[in-house]
Amino acid sequence: MCAFTNEPLGTKSSTGVNPRLVAIAGPTGAGKSALALDLAEEFHGEIVNCDSLQLYRGFDIGTSKTPPGARRGIPHHLFDILPASREFSAGEYAKAARAAIGEIAARASLPIVVGGSGFYLRALLEGLPETPERDAELRAKLAQREQRRPGSLHRLLARLEPARARRIHERDIQKLIRALEIRILMRQPVLERSLATPWRGYSILKLGLDPDRAPLYTRLDERVRWMFTSGIVEEVRRLLAEGATGGEKPFESLGYKQALAHVRGQTTLEEAIASTQLETRRYAKRQWTWFRRDPEVRWLKGFGGDAAVRQQAFGALQSFYKTCL
């Protein structure tokens, strides 16, 4: 499917064809990175990160970040660009990703956006409504409220904006703070998505990986155990030794919050592993639900490393090139 084919942002080729962009979505553990590498190798592509945690330096094992030595010489963008202390909104991500994609397209390479952060992908492709900038004082008050009465932010948002509260997990404090910050500063419900301005100037193909649930959950459980046996606890200790407090946003993510709790003596190693496995399976289910709402996603049945899926993806991209001429 060719989308967003109106006037571009200065990146249309000399033939008058909009540059192409591929996005690979799907649940965690589905093999998005593996498929992206294969596509980039075959179609002269460059990979753009769309995982909110892989932006951070030092958070490698728990984010399943592709090591530099396994990147096959393919350029990777927006990996390891932030310190743990830096917060990065979806709007900031969209601005940085659009800049990277523009540079890739200008080199006549194929931008391949990869990751499971659905809200970041939406911000990139569909834009976001205009919202107030961050208010440090208000954010601090909201954080203090949650510390005094855990769960209070989610209950408050549920009263003010029930639909939005249903889309945010009660333990995702950063998203709750931002949602309430916007609601309080705007003094009205958050603007609907329909009022956002989509990004123009690219023909876009969205591919989604859809493995069977049982083997995916097995793979996720195995990956979590591998993370804990391969050094995520030591990674957390190193980050703390280098000056992190443990209160930074990346430490709220799956694996890292459990590893941090274990380092602080709050859980056993087996409890940390079991908790991460359970929450990772739940997270994968939420990702499925999110991406299933997008009618433009072309779903590929299986894992990204499967030969049959790879061939389907190659065929889809070849057709995409032909139909976008």
Side-chain angles (χ1 to χ4, degrees):
M1 177 176 182
C2 293
F4 305 155
T5 54
N6 57 322
E7 201 59 27
L9 304 176
T11 54
K12 185 175 285 188
S13 71
S14 58
T15 62
V17 176
N18 281 323
R20 298 165 184 82
L21 184 156
V22 174
I24 303 176
T28 183
K32 296 183 292 292
S33 296
L35 180 60
L37 285 168
D38 288 338
L39 289 177
E41 210 164 40
E42 183 73 12
F43 294 91
H44 189 57
E46 300 184 28
I47 293 173
V48 180
N49 171 44
C50 190
D51 182 298
S52 61
L53 291 169
Q54 292 188 358
L55 294 162
Y56 289 95
R57 291 189 292 272
F59 292 81
D60 301 325
I61 296 174
T63 62
S64 298
K65 197 179 293 175
T66 304
R71 295 178 183 178
R72 308 182 197 173
I74 295 165
H76 281 55
H77 305 269
L78 302 187
F79 291 85
D80 301 314
I81 64 170
L82 301 176
S85 58
R86 173 77 157 86
E87 292 189 11
F88 206 63
S89 69
E92 290 173 306
Y93 166 79
K95 183 178 179 180
R98 290 177 181 185
I101 289 167
E103 292 171 1
I104 295 167
R107 291 191 288 271
S109 294
L110 174 68
I112 302 176
V113 179
V114 186
S117 295
F119 188 57
Y120 274 32
L121 184 62
R122 176 192 292 174
L124 169 64
L125 300 181
E126 301 179 27
L128 295 173
E130 290 294 326
T131 55
E133 294 186 359
R134 294 172 184 269
D135 184 309
E137 183 178 353
L138 175 57
R139 293 173 71 84
K141 288 180 179 178
L142 291 170
Q144 291 168 4
R145 176 187 178 124
E146 181 66 19
Q147 287 180 344
R148 290 194 304 268
R149 299 191 300 279
S152 62
L153 294 188
H154 196 269
R155 292 192 292 271
L156 176 59
L157 185 62
R159 290 200 300 271
L160 295 174
E161 291 194 49
R164 189 164 177 80
R166 285 193 293 271
R167 296 194 297 269
I168 302 177
H169 196 279
E170 63 182 9
R171 291 194 291 273
D172 195 337
I173 306 304
Q174 290 300 321
K175 285 185 181 178
L176 289 169
I177 287 176
R178 181 56 180 161
L180 285 167
E181 177 184 39
I182 292 171
R183 176 64 176 81
I184 292 168
L185 293 176
M186 293 184 70
R187 304 191 179 200
Q188 61 183 3
V190 176
L191 294 173
E192 294 296 326
R193 282 177 57 193
S194 60
L195 298 181
T197 303
W199 193 31
R200 306 294 186 180
Y202 288 82
S203 296
I204 300 171
L205 173 66
K206 299 179 185 178
L207 299 175
L209 291 175
D210 185 26
D212 288 335
R213 189 159 299 191
L216 175 66
Y217 286 176
T218 298
R219 179 178 290 197
L220 291 177
D221 284 350
E222 292 172 350
R223 188 178 75 177
V224 167
R225 186 163 292 278
W226 174 87
M227 283 163 39
F228 278 87
T229 58
S230 297
I232 190 173
V233 172
E234 290 72 23
E235 192 170 76
V236 166
R237 288 196 176 106
R238 175 180 54 76
L239 289 163
L240 295 174
E242 291 174 352
T245 66
E248 295 85 356
K249 181 177 174 56
F251 286 103
E252 298 174 4
S253 62
L254 295 176
Y256 285 102
K257 65 180 177 181
Q258 287 87 353
L260 180 63
H262 175 63
V263 167
R264 290 176 169 172
Q266 298 166 350
T267 63
T268 67
L269 183 61
E270 283 302 317
E271 287 171 340
I273 292 172
S275 172
T276 306
Q277 289 173 330
L278 176 61
E279 291 198 32
T280 301
R281 294 193 298 269
R282 289 174 174 170
Y283 177 56
K285 185 177 180 180
R286 293 197 299 274
Q287 287 176 303
W288 254 313
T289 301
W290 177 285
F291 291 118
R292 282 290 185 191
R293 292 197 292 259
D294 188 342
E296 294 183 353
V297 174
R298 174 169 176 170
W299 291 97
L300 307 175
K301 191 65 178 175
F303 291 95
D306 295 347
V309 168
R310 187 165 54 246
Q311 287 306 116
Q312 289 179 59
F314 282 12
L317 196 44
Q318 287 165 350
S319 298
F320 177 60
Y321 269 79
K322 291 176 183 176
T323 56
C324 289
L325 291 177

